[in-house]
Amino acid sequence: MSSSDNIISLKNVCKYYSAGGQKIIGLDDVSLDLKAGDFAVLMGPSGGGKTTLLNCIGGLDQPDQGEILIRGRSVAGMNDRERTQLRRTEIGFIFQFFNLLPTLTVWENIELPLLLANKAEGGQERIRELLDYVGLLDRAKSFPAELSGGQMQRVAIARALAPKPLALLADEPTGNLDSENGERILDLMKHASADFGATVILATHNPQILEHGNRRWEIRDGRLSSTS
């Protein structure tokens, strides 16, 4: 497959921070390529660069050096409006603490990104399909506070998939769950990668999760090393 098949490409990406007058390395010469349907696991300790990498890919932060391409288009070359549109339509985010809106029902939480992305047409069928996919069709009218942690994370996955994104960025999505629910979420995300064709990057500190990825990296002190 050629480089044009890559959904996400990073080339020599560096990110620096300043703390107490000292230069802190967030990302150190990171390069990687991911294609449609890849399930990539990024493992490393807290402060190792996992979240920084996801934020740069998602356009929430900008690298100081290097290039990030989403389907061949430079994220650095986008203006603020274009980066916002990228996050609304092509990048889905899944967080450790779910980040569901507590005043909205399950249905409304999944509907919101469709409205923001101007994809409301056909949205009712899409929401119903996703709720059935994550096994929560019977909880459509429930509020987040009425759900378990595992159920809330399944809603978060459905919400992230709603606009049919190219990629899902998951930051410690099992970190707030017990082992049984964590395994269920991992299986669901792997199937979502296969069934919906989304490229998934899952960041974790848990080495046991590495085996779930078809692409696997460790990141420490901002430096990436492949384990596969």
Side-chain angles (χ1 to χ4, degrees), residues 97-219:
F97 294 102
F98 323 125
N99 288 14
L100 301 179
L101 293 178
T103 59
L104 300 183
T105 65
V106 165
W107 182 282
E108 290 166 341
N109 266 283
I110 299 171
E111 183 180 40
L112 183 60
L114 292 172
L115 297 174
L116 292 174
N118 294 317
K119 293 185 177 182
E121 185 175 349
Q124 305 294 301
E125 182 179 346
R126 176 69 174 170
I127 297 167
R128 196 171 293 108
E129 172 194 12
L130 288 168
L131 280 171
D132 185 50
Y133 188 78
V134 300
L136 291 173
L137 194 55
D138 61 333
R139 303 306 300 270
K141 296 181 180 180
S142 299
F143 289 91
E146 299 170 321
L147 305 177
S148 69
Q151 288 173 327
M152 283 192 281
Q153 195 60 292
R154 282 187 274 155
V155 174
I157 291 172
R159 178 185 59 185
L161 286 168
K164 300 182 180 179
L166 290 171
L168 294 180
L169 307 181
D171 196 358
E172 298 279 7
T174 65
N176 203 36
L177 303 175
D178 60 52
S179 57
E180 182 178 348
N181 274 305
E183 284 293 325
R184 185 170 186 179
I185 292 302
L186 285 172
D187 286 342
L188 184 59
M189 291 184 65
K190 286 169 66 178
H191 283 112
S193 176
D195 296 343
F196 293 94
T199 301
V200 176
I201 305 179
L202 187 154
T204 181
H205 67 275
N206 185 351
Q208 295 180 342
I209 293 178
L210 267 178
E211 65 187 49
H212 290 269
N214 75 306
R215 305 290 307 281
R216 298 182 287 273
W217 287 278
E218 292 186 33
I219 186 166

